[in-house]
Amino acid sequence: MLSTVGDMAQFIIAQLNEGQVNGFQLLQPETVAQMQEKAVTFPLGQGDLNQETYGLGLGHIRDVPWSAWGHLYDMHGATGHGGSWFGYNAQLWFVDKEEGGYGVVVLTNTESDFNSQGRNLWIFGSLNKIPVLLIEEASELYTQTITE
């Protein structure tokens, strides 16, 4: 699959608007609901990147900070998915409309293999920190707008 930041941003908009993007029904509301349904639950500390539950391709992150790969993460309860494959890394995360309705997309080049050797593990941790920083910034901006 090939995509762009713009395409993935439209996908986030569809997820936040029952499948609609600029008045166009990109996904059926039932499809969006199924994708976001919390199908599998993980015990605290067991899910990848502190996931609480997982649906059809979308993980739901706990609304509590956690530490991994030498970094502190706080995804503010975001829903999304990320992954990498031989030189590429993609992250797509969004926060429900009730909590602000914002999201982030990160597409970047990266090392082709991740393993327990220090350098690659550090790179992996750093790449996962990028969407965390963007979600934190978006959360702060949203908080500022509702308090003004």
Side-chain angles (χ1 to χ4, degrees):
M1 178 190 296
L2 298 175
S3 190
T4 66
V5 170
D7 291 342
M8 292 176 74
Q10 297 296 313
F11 183 75
I12 287 175
I13 292 168
Q15 290 291 326
L16 292 171
N17 292 296
E18 297 181 343
Q20 284 196 8
V21 178
N22 297 325
F24 176 76
Q25 194 70 44
L26 181 65
L27 299 168
Q28 293 300 317
E30 300 81 15
T31 303
V32 172
Q34 263 191 321
M35 292 179 77
Q36 294 184 26
E37 183 180 341
K38 298 174 179 180
V40 178
T41 301
F42 298 101
L44 184 61
Q46 297 285 319
D48 186 31
L49 294 179
N50 205 34
Q51 287 179 1
E52 180 176 19
T53 60
Y54 204 81
L56 294 177
L58 296 174
H60 304 277
I61 306 298
R62 285 183 173 80
D63 196 10
V64 294
W66 78 99
S67 182
W69 302 297
H71 296 279
L72 180 66
Y73 296 88
D74 187 353
M75 291 289 283
H76 300 274
T79 296
H81 187 81
S84 61
W85 183 256
F86 299 109
Y88 304 98
N89 182 281
Q91 301 278 335
L92 175 145
W93 298 98
F94 60 92
V95 174
D96 293 333
K97 283 178 105 170
E98 296 80 26
E99 301 297 324
Y102 53 85
V104 299
V105 173
V106 176
L107 300 178
T108 186
N109 298 334
T110 184
E111 296 273 333
S112 62
D113 64 332
F114 296 115
N115 54 44
S116 60
Q117 295 173 353
R119 182 168 185 264
N120 291 340
L121 193 57
W122 178 86
I123 290 170
F124 184 65
S126 298
L127 286 172
N128 282 311
K129 186 68 173 173
I130 294 169
V132 172
L133 293 171
L134 293 172
I135 284 283
E136 287 175 356
E137 180 72 17
S139 175
E140 288 175 22
L141 290 171
Y142 171 71
T143 301
Q144 288 174 6
T145 60
I146 63 170
T147 57
E148 293 178 351

